[in-house]
């Protein structure tokens, strides 16, 4: 028996961020849009990733984004962990993951929001000196969106991040399709007439 996997060239998103190779704001939003599309697709196949983070996002030489490392992913209708058992990377874990509650695709929506914040600002929105402190902040402290605004991120994207990282799953966008459409709307070029008017008047 053997497993055949795609050979990927390029680098993971963490390396690209550290090396300053994620481009301008529009380029970073396009990276985020591709991640959202990938998550929307796997959710349509009833798969929850559960470990979305920059290390698990690959960018190839043409700028195409791939989701990687489905090691702790699970099928929506198959529980692979017992109640009270947490899985994931602490910085990107949703409150329901921290407390060991049942995890749905909305945990991926939360992790996407944390990833988007970090991609756009270069800093993690939640930090702690140890895992216990980090988990306490995930559960009880609201994230300050000021760094996003200071980085010049459009207000609709700031609001989107805030919605994705809501503590309660019911308060988050109820699917990556909603997130994708929001990002597409922000990235949509202005109508040619409006551009021309701005340029010549």
């Amino acid at each position: 028996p053997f497993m055949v996997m795609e050979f990927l060239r390029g680098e993971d998103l963490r390396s690209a961020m550290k090396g300053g190779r994620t481009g301008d704001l529009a380029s970073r939003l396009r990276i985020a849009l591709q991640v959202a599309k990938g998550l929307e697709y796997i959710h349509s196949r009833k798969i929850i990733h559960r470990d979305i983070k920059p290390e698990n996002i690959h960018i190839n030489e043409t700028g195409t984004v791939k989701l990687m490392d489905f090691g702790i992913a699970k099928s929506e209708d198959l529980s692979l962990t017992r109640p009270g058992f947490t899985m994931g990377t602490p910085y990107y874990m949703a409150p329901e993951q921290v407390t060991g509650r049942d995890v749905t695709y909305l945990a991926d929506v939360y992790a996407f929001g944390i990833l988007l914040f970090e991609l756009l600002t270069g800093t993690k929105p939640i930090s702690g000196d140890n895992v216990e402190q980090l988990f306490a902040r995930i559960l009880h402290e609201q994230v300050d969106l000021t760094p996003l605004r200071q980085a010049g991120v459009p207000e609709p994207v700031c609001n989107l991040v805030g919605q994705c990282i809501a503590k309660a799953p019911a308060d988050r966008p109820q699917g990556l399709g909603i997130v994708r459409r929001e990002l597409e709307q922000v990235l949509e070029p202005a109508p040619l007439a409006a551009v021309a008017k701005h340029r010549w008047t």
Side-chain angles (χ1 to χ4, degrees):
F2 61 91
M3 180 183 292
V4 178
M5 299 177 69
E6 182 180 2
F7 182 76
L8 297 177
R9 298 183 185 277
E11 61 185 338
D12 64 47
L13 182 56
R14 174 72 67 205
S15 298
M17 289 164 62
K18 284 183 177 178
R21 292 183 292 277
T22 52
D24 59 11
L25 177 61
S27 296
R28 281 176 270 147
L29 286 173
R30 282 191 286 270
I31 291 171
L33 176 59
Q34 290 189 67
V35 176
K37 287 180 176 179
L39 286 170
E40 181 183 12
Y41 176 76
I42 68 167
H43 291 169
S44 75
R45 310 301 294 176
K46 308 295 185 183
I47 296 170
I48 305 165
H49 191 285
R50 301 200 298 179
D51 197 21
I52 294 301
K53 57 185 178 182
E55 289 83 353
N56 288 342
I57 308 298
H58 183 88
I59 305 176
N60 72 13
E61 295 161 323
T62 64
T64 300
V65 169
K66 306 259 186 180
L67 297 182
M68 299 194 301
D69 196 352
F70 284 71
I72 65 168
K74 81 178 187 77
S75 172
E76 195 176 70
D77 57 357
L78 176 64
S79 177
L80 300 179
T81 56
R82 62 184 182 277
F85 188 77
T86 61
M87 295 190 78
T89 301
Y91 285 110
Y92 306 91
M93 288 173 67
E96 60 269 28
Q97 283 178 288
V98 170
T99 56
R101 298 200 306 273
D102 209 19
V103 171
T104 70
Y105 61 89
L106 293 172
D108 284 347
V109 172
Y110 178 93
F112 176 85
I114 298 292
L115 177 120
L116 183 55
F117 185 107
E118 189 174 0
L119 175 61
L120 296 176
T121 66
T123 60
K124 291 183 174 71
I126 300 172
S127 61
D129 295 330
N130 51 57
V131 173
E132 289 76 17
Q133 188 181 83
L134 183 63
F135 281 177
R137 288 177 174 169
I138 289 172
L139 292 172
H140 305 297
E141 292 186 14
Q142 296 299 319
V143 170
D144 181 10
L145 301 179
T146 302
L148 287 168
R149 297 186 173 101
Q150 290 174 338
V153 175
E155 194 62 26
V157 179
C158 295
N159 293 335
L160 179 64
V161 171
Q163 292 162 10
C164 287
I165 60 178
K167 304 294 183 190
D171 293 336
R172 298 173 204 152
Q174 299 297 294
L176 264 298
I178 297 170
V179 174
R180 170 184 55 76
R181 288 191 292 273
E182 287 284 338
L183 291 174
E184 286 174 339
Q185 191 168 359
V186 170
L187 284 166
E188 191 174 76
L192 291 177
V195 173
K197 182 179 179 181
H198 176 73
R199 184 177 297 168
W200 300 114
T201 60

